[in-house]
Amino acid sequence: MAEVKWTKEQSQAIHEKESNILVAAAAGSGKTAVLVERIINKIINEKIDIDRLLVVTFTNAAAAEMRERVLEAIYKKLDETPENENLQRQITLLNKASICTIDSFCLDVVRNHFYELENISPNFRIADTTEIELLKQEVLEDIFEEKYENQEEDFAELINTYTSYRDDTPLKELILKIYTYIQSNPFPNQWLSEKIEMFHIQNFEQDFSKNPWGEILLKEVEEELIDDISTLREQAENLEKNPDLEKYTKTIFDDIDKLEMLKVNLNSWDKAYAIYTNLTFATWPRQKVDSTIKDQAKLVRDDIKKKVTKKLNKIFIYNSEEANRDIADMYPILVKLKHLIFEFGEEFSKRKRNKNIVDFNDIEHLALNILIKDENGKVEPTEVAKNYKEKFVEIAIDEYQDSNMVQEYILTSISKGNNIFMVGDVKQSIYKFRQAMPDLFLSKYKTYKLKENKKDDDDLKIQLFKNFRSRENVLDFTNLIFQDIMSENLGEIDYTEEEYLNLGASYEKTVQELETEIHIIDLKEKEDLAPEEEARGIEEQQDNDDTEETAEERVEDIQVEARFVANKIKSLVESHFQVFDRKINGFRDIQYKDIVILLRSTKVNAPIFEEEIINLGMPVFSESSQEYLDSIEIQTIMSLLK
């Protein structure tokens, strides 16, 4: 097998050391191969024992794969130097090497140092999800029942605020939601208390834009105005091309001026509030001019007027004083809610101790309590953490964009300050609902320096933006779409040319011209569609509370799309579409096994796609199928990206 040729950036990611390193690795950039090669380089060339590396992966499967690939590389090197005692020792050490998920590492810390904790037995067990959820419900029911019996005033106020007399479920769900969310913070109770204190506003005269809520709302207004002004300018430029449409052009420009006036005054809530409350749009001119450009401009303008009015009517409800008082009025009830959440947390912890069980949130927090201590308000590593610090030469973290603050504290506490190697891609961060904090990645991405700009004390940033998975036409289209839709508020990052996916692989020139196609299906006409007809992508599966009728419509929509895809595949095969096969070093007719259908979710969609493909006499394979032959494959989009 030919030796791998690493790019300059990949080589940096493999060999650089003596500083913290953040590798921003885009999809298809070979980041797993780079991480494995870095581990192998540490073992073979730097003579570092494998058990002195901590490698944190996102899943157990990823950890197992990494172990396997490292072992394979060691055996390959042993074939070249069979007498190498260092490599022989690494095979033995690999069995106890710390290549694992963060949960596994934390569990190891707790098991080995349980004596550092109070009220925990060494033979605790990890409860399964169902047991934990049932215990949570049991604790809530008992707390609520007690408070109903005691007729507590604070509790009654919470009931009146968040529930109806018939059903207190919304309050229970709120308690569980907030409790679960704050567990991703190293000091959950302290964090919640600090956030609630932000509602304790005493200066009602202060401009509401100075408060975090006003700042967020004005940012939302700004984004809306930027989009609307840009759209109106396009219409005005089209109208300007026809002198007969001058009145309509002036009307559009008048709209733009009014929205611009609002936009430039968004640094003050009261100014923006006053401008919007007096904002009126001019009447569309009545002039008998037959023009599709004019008609289109009116449709666009009417849509923007409706959209702006609908959104801003919900935002500019109060002036600063009224808005501040409204926020302040929430403070007493939030304090009561906080105390109820704390009470639930204490009782929940007590019940778990009585049963000698823990959950995964407990494991992380218990490990954190072992590794850090609070000395007069300053967080310091414990002696246990210092021992880990001496043990591990390097800490490597895969999928860093999905880390949370608890994990950050844990891994930082055992680092030397310059030996953390992080790999990730903020554009692939999809676990915010699990309290992942892509801001951790972004803050380092903004402050770490590229090698050419790095000084001695700086941490290093390496960008792996060459994609070895896709052809240029796929990458160009991806960049085009992401540049238009991705921003710091949507997608965590501004997708500029610096973030582009760049072609990394070389492909043989194709027999036919390859172009990216978009098909739009009109679901109003649910009938058999040929591949050449237009198709529209459908929305992802709706929430569980959909009615049976809506769910039935959803299945019908999937069938339309699946039928289109099946016909498209059939036409490709029947037309003898040419693909390059590296095994024969030449072109051949496309086969079913060359085709993959990527879905957001396979649970509901895959069986429908399978049925439509089978109906056309073609073989298909998905996770729900029993065997894999020369078949079309169905998988989720994330299984390809991760």
Side-chain angles (χ1 to χ4, degrees), residues 473 510-517 577:
N473 60 306
T510 55
V511 176
Q512 59 275 308
E513 185 176 354
L514 297 178
E515 294 181 344
T516 303
E517 300 178 13
F577 188 87

Side-chain angles (χ1 to χ4, degrees), residues 471 569 572-573 576-584 586-598 619-621 628-635 640:
R471 290 181 181 271
I569 293 170
L572 284 172
V573 174
H576 302 284
F577 188 87
Q578 295 296 293
V579 297
F580 186 81
D581 191 330
R582 294 188 184 277
K583 290 182 180 179
I584 64 173
F587 286 91
R588 60 166 171 78
D589 290 352
I590 193 170
Q591 298 175 9
Y592 295 119
K593 67 180 180 181
D594 299 319
I595 299 168
V596 60
I597 300 170
L598 300 178
V620 61
F621 165 81
Y628 177 84
L629 298 169
D630 178 15
S631 308
I632 301 159
E633 185 173 351
I634 298 176
Q635 60 177 271
L640 177 72

